[in-house]
Amino acid sequence: MEIISNPTQVEIKKAAQALMDGHLVAFPTETVYGLGADATNEKAVSRVYSVKGRPTDHPLIVHISSINQLDKWAVDVPENAIKLAEEYWPGPMTLILKRSKTAKDFITGGQENVGIRVPSHPVALALLSEFEKLGGLGIAAPSANRFGAVSPTSSEAVIEEIGSELSPIDLILDGGNCSVGIESTIINCTEDIPTVLRPGAITVEMIRFCTKHKLNISKVYERIRASGLIKTHYSPKAKVVLGGEAEKGDGFLAMAGISTPIDAIRLASPSTIEEFANQLYQAFRLADHKNLTKIIVIPPLGNGLSDAIRDRLVRSVTDE
Ligand code: TXA
Ligand code: MG
């Protein structure tokens, strides 16, 4: 594949054309890098699944350039969803809505709902608007990692994850490190009260503020637990252990105020919750590069983005 750093407008047009021609384009978003395909092209989308090694019943998020494109993919969009979209798009939020006829089974995994997002990274937005100018309707993009592995937050991480699976004509757009660093908040808007299916940088408090609905946080977590995804996702090769004593040679990740245990290897020292999210997956990758067998993580306290970090940490914990 070809890697294009800080793509120019001409290079972005070339990437949009590559998508129209059925090739894959990995691109940066503010959350993590996505592996993009024309969301109406079944053959291109099936390559996304094979490159990732992902089961085909896991639905994909369709990315669009603005709220104006929403009607192409969703029908009966409720008031709540419109309020959220107006407030937080472009941004790290995916809305689950009733699908239109454009959202075929190969996107939704056969479900009647579709996930839609408008990302805010300038390269992603430029790619989406060029793609739409060429007649494209949306870009399906899961995180650009092998199934179950850690999402990539840099182009180097994309190459490490799926570089060997891409064809010579596929592209990787390099737009630097992702600013948020963990995946978008996913909100199910198909019921009267929105439910958070995956916490992220758009927090429960922000959703409450916008929709005036009282989301129940504990219920949010029951839903996450019920999804059955725990222990199979977001995992580095090293074993992740939450809290506990570090032994010699263990990796260690905690807020900057917490000192490194003797003989442990510090992987990151974030001084804010935002930095913790931003450095989490990089720290996991660093541990694997160093061939560490164990990472001790002291989870951040508090709500909001901390909830999202703890969600990813719990899911990254592997069984013995
Ligand atoms: O931040 C993000 O959301 C990134 C960037 C690239 O946009 N994308 C991402 O995609 O994380 P992916 O496929 O790695 O994770 C999307 C999650 C999957 O767990 C999938 O099952 C869920 O969203 N999802 C997608 N469409 C859905 C739907 N219609 N109903 C329920 N869950 C859905
Ligand atoms: Mg993913």
Side-chain angles (χ1 to χ4, degrees):
M1 77 280 161
E2 190 185 345
I3 302 152
I4 305 174
S5 289
N6 301 314
T8 62
Q9 197 59 29
V10 171
E11 288 167 326
I12 290 200
K13 278 189 183 147
K14 175 180 153 179
Q17 188 61 54
L19 286 168
M20 291 299 286
D21 294 342
H23 304 298
L24 305 187
V25 177
F27 62 95
T29 82
E30 72 281 20
T31 57
V32 301
Y33 274 71
L35 175 61
D38 176 352
T40 63
N41 182 331
E42 184 165 14
K43 229 169 125 190
V45 170
S46 79
R47 276 202 60 226
V48 168
Y49 282 96
S50 66
V51 165
K52 277 185 64 81
R54 170 164 161 154
T56 48
D57 58 352
H58 281 238
L60 298 178
I61 296 171
V62 177
H63 297 68
I64 54 176
S65 70
S66 82
I67 191 173
N68 300 330
Q69 309 299 315
L70 193 53
D71 288 351
K72 304 227 163 70
W73 291 94
V75 294
D76 305 337
V77 179
E79 185 69 30
N80 277 330
I82 292 169
K83 279 190 198 153
L84 286 164
E86 283 175 345
E87 188 78 24
Y88 301 123
W89 275 350
M93 176 183 76
T94 298
L95 300 180
I96 306 296
L97 299 163
K98 197 171 158 192
R99 69 170 167 178
S100 75
K101 289 198 175 73
T102 313
K104 297 284 191 308
D105 284 351
F106 61 81
I107 289 294
T108 71
Q111 299 186 67
E112 291 309 313
N113 302 325
V114 62
I116 307 288
R117 174 158 114 84
V118 179
S120 68
H121 193 293
V123 171
L125 278 178
L127 179 67
L128 284 161
S129 50
E130 287 304 328
F131 181 68
E132 287 165 7
K133 273 189 211 157
L134 295 173
L137 295 179
I139 302 178
S143 51
N145 52 280
R146 295 284 297 170
F147 181 65
V150 175
S151 295
T153 56
S154 67
S155 64
E156 292 79 11
V158 174
I159 297 165
E160 184 176 291
E161 284 289 329
I162 56 165
S164 62
E165 308 292 326
L166 294 176
S167 85
I169 318 172
D170 296 329
L171 297 173
I172 298 178
L173 300 181
D174 172 10
N177 289 346
C178 302
S179 57
V180 176
I182 59 171
E183 305 80 357
S184 61
T185 306
I186 302 181
I187 310 170
N188 181 5
C189 294
T190 64
E191 291 158 6
D192 289 342
I193 298 182
T195 317
V196 174
L197 300 179
R198 179 174 73 182
I202 302 300
T203 63
V204 169
E205 290 73 17
M206 290 161 82
I207 300 164
R208 262 191 205 148
F209 168 79
C210 178
T211 63
K212 310 286 182 262
H213 276 301
K214 286 201 170 168
L215 301 196
N216 182 327
I217 299 185
S218 68
K219 271 209 179 120
V220 168
Y221 283 95
E222 279 163 28
R223 287 288 275 262
I224 290 164
R225 295 238 156 75
S227 76
L229 288 172
I230 291 177
K231 294 178 181 165
T232 61
H233 268 62
Y234 313 103
S235 302
K237 290 188 190 73
K239 179 178 155 65
V240 177
V241 176
L242 305 185
E245 296 284 306
E247 292 162 20
K248 192 171 167 29
D250 284 349
F252 186 74
L253 171 60
M255 294 291 288
I258 302 171
S259 54
T260 313
I262 297 167
D263 292 336
I265 298 160
R266 189 86 189 201
L267 298 169
S269 299
S271 23
T272 61
I273 298 299
E274 287 73 21
E275 281 181 19
F276 203 121
N278 179 267
Q279 296 171 15
L280 176 65
Y281 292 155
Q282 288 173 24
F284 280 178
R285 271 180 209 284
L286 179 62
D288 284 348
H289 291 163
K290 290 178 180 290
N291 285 319
L292 305 187
T293 50
K294 199 162 94 189
I295 308 171
I296 304 286
V297 186
I298 310 298
L301 304 172
N303 295 120
L305 188 56
S306 291
D307 287 321
I309 295 168
R310 289 197 301 273
D311 166 70
R312 302 311 190 275
L313 288 172
V314 168
R315 291 173 193 239
S316 73
V317 172
T318 39
D319 282 329
E320 293 272 0

